[in-house]
Amino acid sequence: MSFKAVYLQKDESGSFSAALDTLDDSALDGNSLAEGDVLLRVMHSTLNYKDGLAIGNLSPVVRKWPMVAGIDGAGEVLESSDPRWIAGDLAFINGWGLGEAHWGCLAEKARLPGSWLQSVPSTMSTADCMSIGTAGYTAMLCCMALQRNGVRPEDGEILVTGATGGVGTFAISLLSSWGYTVVGSTGKPEEGEFLRALGASSLIARETLSGSGKPLQKERWAGVVDSVGSHSLANACAQTRYGGSVAACGLAQGMDFPATMAPFILRGVSLVGVDSVMCPMERRAEAWSRLAEELDRKKLAQITKTIELDDVIETAGRFGAGKLTGRVVVNI
């Protein structure tokens, strides 16, 4: 038996290749990069920013070689020695080092630890789970962080950077549905109608945040969801109102943080780091429970488009060019 997978290889000389290969089932057995007690028939996966970086060899995402790409997956359990799972169960997975240090789910099959899996909610399909994927789940974690820090709709505007990206589109949709006034920062003004349909009340140009700025700037934001990092995050913090909170989860502009302590010690601003990869299962479960109940499915359809496994490598190349908006589900 065999299965198709997006297979990434790099030799000792640094020569890289990404291809849709056919692998023998035996490749999953005794493979330290595919350890696990559950064999999943992957029905749907998704393309995330991190997948685009890995498949395009644009950043050192992959830590072990060779690697099967794909940080998200959902499908049917084929075999399990974990008592929590039996054949026929529908399960999904986000993060846990998939596509980085453990073979991922841009493949027809994946062997995974049962402790990393979650049950597909009864109100969702495997395709729905992947429409949300790591991007939507991370956005929910960010929005929950703002709420935990006491940011209320009546406190003022919420800034969402990287507004047309996966995290950004979900954050706008969620926060607006909860009654917050959301301002999106984007470098794609042509997507303004799309972002307003999701719930953005107004937009600002990405360039207003992406350059160097003063340590303290005019107070505007009650809260921020940032997936960009670098100068954009520094300026967002400098513009956050007294006692406000900033949830940071990404580094699309860069990993650096060229800021000062001024917003934190003079305005009491909180900067909350949000990690979705190794997030404890209890918090994951809370986030997914809320997504199942609170996410507007009509808006989910607006955010999502579907491709086939054969299209993954070509589509992933568009991440580096900044030409993708919203979410991409991979039908496997």
Side-chain angles (χ1 to χ4, degrees), residues 216-221 238-240 267:
L216 281 178
Q217 300 171 35
K218 184 178 179 180
E219 295 179 64
R220 180 169 181 182
W221 317 116
Q239 296 172 12
T240 298
R267 290 182 179 165

Side-chain angles (χ1 to χ4, degrees), residues 66-153:
M67 181 56 58
V68 172
I71 68 172
D72 288 333
E76 179 186 9
V77 173
L78 294 176
E79 303 171 5
S80 174
S81 58
D82 184 322
R84 289 169 288 195
W85 303 99
I86 61 172
D89 284 346
L90 295 180
F92 71 96
I93 186 168
N94 311 112
W96 297 116
L98 294 191
E100 301 176 66
H102 190 287
W103 277 17
C105 289
L106 282 168
E108 293 176 326
K109 294 178 184 177
R111 189 175 295 283
L112 305 161
S115 60
W116 291 357
L117 295 168
Q118 293 174 261
S119 294
V120 173
S122 60
T123 57
M124 289 185 179
S125 65
T126 56
D128 290 335
C129 286
M130 292 298 96
S131 294
I132 297 169
T134 286
Y137 146 63
T138 304
M140 176 59 86
L141 291 176
C142 289
C143 296
M144 287 165 51
L146 295 185
Q147 289 186 324
R148 281 199 311 275
N149 276 15
V151 179
R152 303 165 301 173

